[in-house]
Amino acid sequence: GVPRQMQDVEPDEIETFSLLKDAAATAVYGAEGANGVILITTKRGQIAKARISVRAETSVSQATRLPKYASSYEYLKAYNEALNNVGSPSVYDDETLAKYRDGVDPMLYPNVDWYDLLKDLTTNSRITINARGGTERAKYFVSGAFYTESGLFKSNTTDDYNSNIGVKRFNLRSNIDLNITKTTVVSVDLSGQYLNTNYPGVGTQDLFTKMSTVPSHLFPMIYEDGTIAGHPDPSSNKVNPYNLLNNSGYSKEWRTRIQSKVGLVQKLDFITKGASTLRAVLVAPSA
């Protein structure tokens, strides 16, 4: 009964999952149902002995595909060739090209693969625990979940500084049904979420743009003595991707959300046999 993003609902909480896409089925949702409606019904208690289940899972992720760039030697040799093709002299002589090829001094003649700033693999984990059961008087379903995922960036991680993408999420759900009388049922549903996210100080699009466009021969990621490397011309658009990731700060966000719903179902059979059932629902806004 509460609109929300699907990723806010833990898979282990779901009882049924329905897709409504024809006009008649989505008409009651008005304009919000124009592109279809996904209905997710979470689990509720059952008349049974308490059943506690625990589930833990972890998975490994990697980039689907990454481009392979030419080395500094190959790049500069091709650059010379391009100049020669239009009648211009070479900029880099054979001796200089050999130094880039042989790696005699990576600080003066660097050969940087900026995609080394990415990990080969990253992991994500999920742990859920829930309890389900009840009697004729009271039924319950209670669930708690923890999810964590980290990004592919290799940041200089310390206790106080971490610019890698990451998320930690805690979910808690409680669906309680109480039979107040033989004809009256009160349901109290609570859903809470605590989310902690981490991002680099610059956008990931900017990072990938610089990793893909900054030539490999301009400067090393960082000098051997720890000095920050960069283009000598401050007005140049050739920004060190390593600096963008590790020397541009980071951003943390903490978000909480609580949703609640109280429902009342009153059977009217005690007044007149076959009378309709009265339903009342109170939904509190997200907090």
Side-chain angles (χ1 to χ4, degrees), residues 271-287:
I271 299 178
T272 303
K273 186 176 181 180
S276 301
T277 299
L278 177 65
R279 296 177 182 269
V281 177
L282 174 63
V283 178
S286 300

Side-chain angles (χ1 to χ4, degrees), residues 202-211 244:
V202 297
T204 54
Q205 181 176 347
D206 291 337
L207 273 169
F208 274 96
T209 297
K210 296 304 181 185
M211 289 165 59
L244 289 179

Side-chain angles (χ1 to χ4, degrees), residues 20-34 37:
L20 308 180
K21 56 183 180 179
D22 60 276
T26 60
V28 296
Y29 298 96
E32 291 186 345
V37 176

Side-chain angles (χ1 to χ4, degrees), residues 95-270:
E95 182 181 354
T96 301
L97 290 176
K99 292 179 179 179
Y100 279 107
R101 181 192 61 203
D102 300 335
V104 294
D105 189 340
M107 298 298 101
L108 291 178
Y109 305 96
N111 179 28
V112 181
D113 182 357
W114 296 112
Y115 277 89
D116 283 341
L117 290 172
L118 300 179
K119 302 176 184 178
D120 294 330
L121 301 170
T122 187
T123 60
N124 60 71
S125 302
R126 174 183 279 110
I127 300 175
T128 59
I129 179 171
N130 59 67
R132 192 178 193 182
T135 64
E136 293 184 357
R137 284 291 186 181
K139 293 174 288 186
Y140 59 88
F141 173 77
V142 180
S143 175
F146 171 70
Y147 175 78
T148 180
E149 183 174 0
S150 60
L152 286 170
F153 290 120
K154 291 180 185 175
S155 67
N156 285 340
T157 305
T158 67
D159 292 338
D160 300 321
Y161 191 100
N162 179 15
S163 59
N164 190 19
I165 297 173
V167 61
K168 293 181 180 179
R169 186 182 68 198
F170 298 86
N171 282 67
L172 179 65
R173 176 176 297 280
S174 173
N175 293 342
I176 308 295
D177 296 309
L178 302 173
N179 291 345
I180 305 300
T181 68
K182 292 183 178 181
T183 60
T184 307
V185 179
V186 174
S187 61
V188 180
D189 301 344
L190 296 174
S191 174
Q193 183 184 91
Y194 171 79
L195 188 70
N196 173 216
T197 58
N198 198 87
Y199 305 97
V202 297
T204 54
Q205 181 176 347
D206 291 337
L207 273 169
F208 274 96
T209 297
K210 296 304 181 185
M211 289 165 59
S212 303
T213 58
V214 174
S216 59
H217 70 283
L218 287 183
F219 37 71
M221 287 190 183
I222 187 171
Y223 289 112
E224 291 177 341
D225 61 357
T227 303
I228 295 176
H231 199 282
D233 182 3
S235 63
S236 170
N237 193 35
K238 307 302 183 184
V239 181
N240 189 336
Y242 178 91
N243 293 338
L244 289 179
L245 178 61
N246 293 291
N247 299 310
S248 299
Y250 61 92
S251 174
K252 280 185 176 291
E253 293 183 5
W254 292 267
R255 285 178 261 168
T256 58
R257 177 178 296 177
I258 298 176
Q259 295 173 323
S260 61
K261 183 180 75 172
V262 178
L264 172 67
V265 176
Q266 176 64 60
K267 295 181 180 179
L268 303 178
D269 290 357
F270 66 94

Side-chain angles (χ1 to χ4, degrees), residues 80-90:
N80 276 347
E81 183 178 348
L83 292 175
N84 299 156
N85 289 338
V86 295
S88 299
S90 298

